[in-house]
């Protein structure tokens, strides 16, 4: 994995962890739309990660089922 991909993953996790911690500590008192800029940034980072990994966008990367056929936890493949 390239350094750039690792850095993107680190930034995505950092955004997700901040939102989760703020929701847990703030007891849900954030105003409506407070996390939208962070979520948009995280999706942009996911799209960039997907392009670096050879996918068209983040959704294609997330729904890639290659390698799941041998997994017994996924009954529909």
């Amino acid at each position: 994995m390239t350094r750039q991909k690792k850095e993107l993953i680190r930034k995505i996790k950092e955004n997700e962890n901040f939102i989760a911690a703020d929701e847990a500590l703030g007891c849900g008192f954030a105003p409506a739309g407070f996390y939208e800029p962070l979520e948009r940034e995280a999706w942009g980072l996911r799209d960039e990660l997907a392009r670096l990994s050879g996918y068209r966008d983040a959704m294609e990367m997330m729904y890639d089922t290659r390698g799941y056929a041998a997994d017994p936890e996924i009954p529909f493949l």
Side-chain angles (χ1 to χ4, degrees), residues 18-31 34-35:
F18 173 79
I19 292 170
D22 194 56
E23 286 177 344
L25 295 174
C27 301
F29 290 116
F34 182 75
Y35 302 117

